[in-house]
Amino acid sequence: MPSNNSYTGRHRPPSKPSRGRQFVVPVALLSSTVAGGLVVRQAGAQELSPEAAAMKNVSNSVAGLGLAADPDAVAAAAANRAGARSSRDMARDASAIIVGATTSAEAAAADAQEAADRAAAAEKARAKAKAEADRKAKEAARARAIARAHRWVNPLSGYTLTSGFGWRWGKMHPAQDLAVATGTPVHALSSGTVVFSGWSTEGYGYMVKIRYWDGTVSWMAHNSRLVVSVGEEVEPGQLVSYSGSTGNSTGPHVHLEIHPDDGAAVSPRPWLADRGVYL
Ligand SMILES: [Zn+2]
C-alpha cells in the first residue's frame, strides 16, 4: 500500500516507517506489458499513469480477494487439499475395509456357529435315532424271547392216542392217554415252574406237575423216571421225565391232564390245538 504522511480523523499511522521510495509490484496476474507501464514515483506522490492506476486497482482487488498467494503455496495448499482428500478417501476406504472385514468376520462366525449348530443337531439326531434303534432292537429281542418262552410244544413223539378225555367204564377220565414205549423222553409243554415231581399216592405213579407262564398246570403221570425237581424253571420242550407204567396203569403210556388256572381239568387235545399243538 502506498504510504501517506497526512492523516485525518482516527486513522492510525502506518505500521511501518515510510521509506523513501516504494514500488507497487504487480502481482503475477498482470501481464508484463501492463506491468512495464507501472511507474512509481516518490512516496506520497499519487500520480500514476491511467493504465498504472487501473492495474493497481486490479492488483489491489486481486490482493483483497486473497488470490495473490505464492504459487508454490497455492500448489502446496492444493496438494494438501488433495492430500486431505486422499486421507479422507483412505480413511473412508479403511473404514469400508474395516466394516467389510468386520462384516465378513461376523458372517464367518455366524456361518461357523450355524455349521456347529447343524453338526450338533445332526449328532443329536443320530444319537436319538441310535437310541431309538437300540430300544426297538431290545424290544424286538424281548418280544422274540417272550415268543420263544410262551410257545407251546408237543410233550413227546412216537405215541398212540388211547383213552381220551371223558367218561370211561362209568368213571370220568380227565386226561388224554398217549401210549408210548417205556423210557420215551417227556417234555414240558411251555415255560413254567415244576410244582410237583415225585411219587403220587393217588395211583399216578411217578408224576410231574408244571405250572406254566399263563397259570395252566399240566400233569404227566406213570413215568418211569423223573429228571426235574420242585421249583425248577423249565423251558418249552425241556426234558422233564421218561415215560413208563408206574402207579395205576395197565401199560406204558403218558397220562396227560390240563388244568387251566390250576382248576378243573379240560380236554387236552382241543386246548393244545388252540395253541398250535396237535396231538
Ligand atoms: Zn390216563
Side-chain angles (χ1 to χ4, degrees):
M1 293 287 284
S3 64
N4 191 330
N5 289 329
S6 61
Y7 303 100
T8 60
R10 300 175 62 183
H11 290 175
R12 293 179 298 155
S15 58
K16 293 180 180 178
S18 178
R19 287 176 293 182
R21 291 172 66 88
Q22 282 197 331
F23 297 90
V24 174
V25 181
V27 296
L29 291 174
L30 300 177
S31 70
S32 58
T33 302
V34 174
L38 288 176
V39 177
V40 180
R41 300 184 181 171
Q42 288 291 71
Q46 298 300 313
E47 298 173 6
L48 296 177
S49 68
E51 295 84 356
M55 295 319 298
K56 178 175 177 291
N57 288 337
V58 171
S59 173
N60 289 342
S61 297
V62 172
L65 291 174
L67 298 177
D70 180 355
D72 290 342
V74 171
N80 284 339
R81 285 195 295 276
R85 281 198 297 274
S86 293
S87 294
R88 284 196 299 274
D89 290 346
M90 289 176 65
R92 190 164 54 243
D93 291 347
S95 177
I97 289 169
I98 292 169
V99 169
T102 302
T103 302
S104 295
E106 288 172 349
D111 288 348
Q113 185 59 51
E114 192 178 330
D117 290 347
R118 279 200 303 271
E123 173 59 22
K124 189 175 180 182
R126 193 193 66 76
K128 184 179 179 182
K130 185 179 184 303
E132 179 67 10
D134 289 349
R135 189 189 65 76
K136 286 185 175 178
K138 286 182 180 176
E139 191 175 287
R142 182 169 176 271
R144 285 194 300 272
I146 290 173
R148 279 195 304 272
H150 290 183
R151 74 186 191 278
W152 297 87
V153 300
N154 199 304
L156 70 169
S157 57
Y159 57 87
T160 299
L161 294 176
T162 50
S163 294
F165 182 90
W167 293 94
R168 179 180 63 174
W169 305 318
K171 182 183 176 186
M172 181 60 188
H173 180 240
Q176 176 64 54
D177 287 347
L178 303 110
V180 70
T182 294
T184 300
V186 179
H187 306 99
L189 300 174
S190 189
S191 298
T193 305
V194 176
V195 293
F196 181 87
S197 182
W199 180 258
S200 166
T201 58
E202 298 173 326
Y204 293 100
Y206 288 110
M207 182 164 65
V208 175
K209 292 183 180 179
I210 300 170
R211 185 177 64 241
Y212 299 101
W213 56 271
D214 67 344
T216 300
V217 177
S218 70
W219 297 11
M220 296 172 180
H222 310 304
N223 296 285
S224 59
R225 187 154 68 98
L226 306 173
V227 299
V228 290
S229 304
V230 172
E232 189 171 335
E233 299 290 328
V234 296
E235 297 176 350
Q238 181 173 329
L239 176 68
V240 295
S241 64
Y242 292 96
S243 66
S245 189
T246 57
N248 186 9
S249 173
T250 57
H253 75 283
V254 172
H255 171 98
L256 175 63
E257 294 189 19
I258 297 294
H259 297 255
D261 295 322
D262 202 19
V266 299
S267 180
R269 290 186 68 191
W271 191 90
L272 282 172
D274 285 345
R275 289 154 183 77
V277 178
Y278 301 93
L279 297 178

